[in-house]
Amino acid sequence: MGAGTAELDAAGIGTEQLRGDYLLCRQLHARHGRTYFTATRVLPPERRPGVHALYGFARWVDDVVDEPGPGATAGGIRARLDAIDADLRRALSGGAPHEPVLRALAHTVRRHRLPPEYFTAFMRSMRMDLDTRSYRDLDHLREYMYGSAAVIGLQVLPVLGTVVPREEAAPHAAALGEAFQLTNFLRDVAEDLGRGRLYLPADVLAAHGVDRELLEHCARTGTSDPRAARALAALVEVNQGFYRRAEPGIAMLSPVARPCVATAFRLYRAILDEIGAAGHDVWSTRHRVSEVRKLAAAVPALARSLIARSVPRPRRPHEYV
């Protein structure tokens, strides 16, 4: 029996079509979100399919925008997003969606009573990628990150479960989504420039004498520049602020979910360590956490998760699972 099949059994997902839909989401998550996918391995099996459905949906739509295939036009991408939007509305209103990813998503939304507006905000940010090529400041960027990252933290929160009222944990979950995404933006700035986008706030760049032309030169030549390195160092500090705001939320999660999120927290934050250790050179290599380091983080987390699962305890008044 494969791990994905065992997870579906544990979650009580029985119909053949729906099992296939969830397995597709799991594949999307494993392929595109390797760091967080590693962390989900320490969740109890019955909670993993919901996380895979949410991340699989996000990666699937993101690919429509970022990897549309040869010959794709802006009009064609918009039309595809329109079709997904229509199918998503059908799914969220209780209808039968056509897309496999949306069938799994709809099941997760119903099971965990997720607000539809989270998904509306996500689709709005995906459309921003078609028109917005730069961001004037952090507030402008956070308008985008709310839909593309913060709401994903909010979506996952009911799947993980909390020991405090959900609204108390929500700001920390949103901050963690933003922290993860800003880390990706710092690591992948060259790749994003190749798509015509720059997610780093223009005011921070300008304060260090950096403009888009300089960053494009760094990306084209694979070489760093002291001004770019200083700007990136400043943005790493901004990113660390998001992690600091997110960290208290880990203790607010269900005990069996804490090791998963703590592992993801450490692994993503470690990417910032790698960037700093390289002198903030994100041009000559794509920084990633080594498999050895992932294993070193995941094994103790798995042990903590197994212990948490084995200890019987009454549900607390505000524990939602």
Side-chain angles (χ1 to χ4, degrees):
M1 180 186 297
T5 301
E7 292 168 4
L8 297 173
D9 290 343
I13 298 169
T15 67
E16 184 176 350
Q17 182 184 62
L18 192 57
R19 288 170 74 88
D21 299 337
Y22 270 101
L23 288 174
L24 174 60
C25 291
R26 187 180 191 276
Q27 291 166 9
L28 288 166
H29 189 188
R31 184 163 71 245
H32 292 291
R34 286 176 291 183
T35 298
Y36 193 65
F37 183 80
T38 298
T40 63
R41 305 302 299 137
V42 303
L43 274 178
E46 68 274 10
R47 302 199 190 190
R48 296 175 201 163
V51 175
H52 296 326
L54 294 167
Y55 273 81
F57 165 72
R59 294 309 314 184
W60 174 62
V61 179
D62 195 59
D63 276 355
V64 169
V65 177
D66 284 349
E67 307 289 344
T73 64
I77 296 171
R78 289 181 194 279
R80 179 68 176 127
L81 289 178
D82 288 343
I84 291 172
D85 250 338
D87 210 20
L88 177 62
R89 287 194 298 272
R90 188 179 300 112
L92 297 178
S93 62
H98 304 305
E99 295 284 355
V101 170
L102 291 178
R103 289 194 295 264
L105 179 73
H107 183 264
T108 293
V109 168
R110 288 193 298 271
R111 173 172 279 194
H112 297 284
R113 300 186 297 278
L114 303 180
E117 54 266 28
Y118 289 165
F119 303 93
T120 303
F122 174 78
M123 294 300 295
R124 186 184 308 121
S125 287
M126 293 302 97
R127 290 181 183 281
M128 285 178 69
D129 272 335
L130 300 179
D131 302 310
T132 306
R133 299 302 178 186
S134 61
Y135 294 85
R136 61 182 176 271
D137 53 31
L138 186 61
D139 286 341
H140 188 202
L141 179 61
R142 290 189 72 191
E143 291 176 22
Y144 172 81
M145 291 203 301
Y146 173 75
S148 63
V151 295
I152 296 177
L154 296 172
Q155 291 165 16
V156 172
L157 193 59
V159 180
L160 299 179
T162 61
V163 294
V164 299
R166 209 166 285 161
E167 60 271 17
E168 185 178 338
H172 305 289
L176 189 59
E178 291 180 290
F180 287 171
Q181 184 162 67
L182 187 52
T183 299
N184 286 338
F185 288 159
L186 290 167
R187 179 190 62 190
D188 298 334
V189 59
E191 182 179 330
D192 291 330
L193 282 167
R195 296 189 176 108
R197 302 188 202 121
L198 177 58
Y199 293 105
L200 308 185
D203 62 338
V204 177
L205 297 176
H208 296 276
V210 176
D211 57 17
R212 191 185 194 108
E213 184 177 359
L214 175 61
L215 297 181
E216 288 175 342
H217 171 78
C218 291
R220 187 170 57 252
T221 61
T223 58
S224 189
D225 177 280
R227 292 165 292 177
R230 287 192 292 271
L232 286 164
L235 288 167
V236 164
E237 285 306 306
V238 172
N239 202 166
Q240 294 285 13
F242 283 111
Y243 281 107
R244 286 191 290 272
R245 286 196 289 278
E247 191 166 14
I250 297 174
M252 299 178 184
L253 297 173
S254 172
V256 295
R258 288 173 201 161
C260 165
V261 177
T263 299
F265 184 96
R266 285 195 298 273
L267 291 177
Y268 259 94
R269 207 174 195 180
I271 295 172
L272 295 184
D273 296 338
E274 297 292 328
I275 291 172
H280 300 92
D281 172 12
V282 296
W283 315 103
S284 60
T285 187
R286 186 176 190 269
H287 297 285
R288 63 178 74 245
V289 180
S290 71
E291 295 303 319
V292 170
R293 192 165 183 176
K294 286 181 184 178
L295 188 63
V299 169
L302 178 59
R304 291 193 298 274
S305 179
L306 290 171
I307 291 169
R309 291 181 227 173
S310 69
V311 177
R313 58 190 178 82
R315 182 175 297 182
R316 302 183 192 184
H318 293 295
E319 185 167 357
Y320 302 95
V321 295

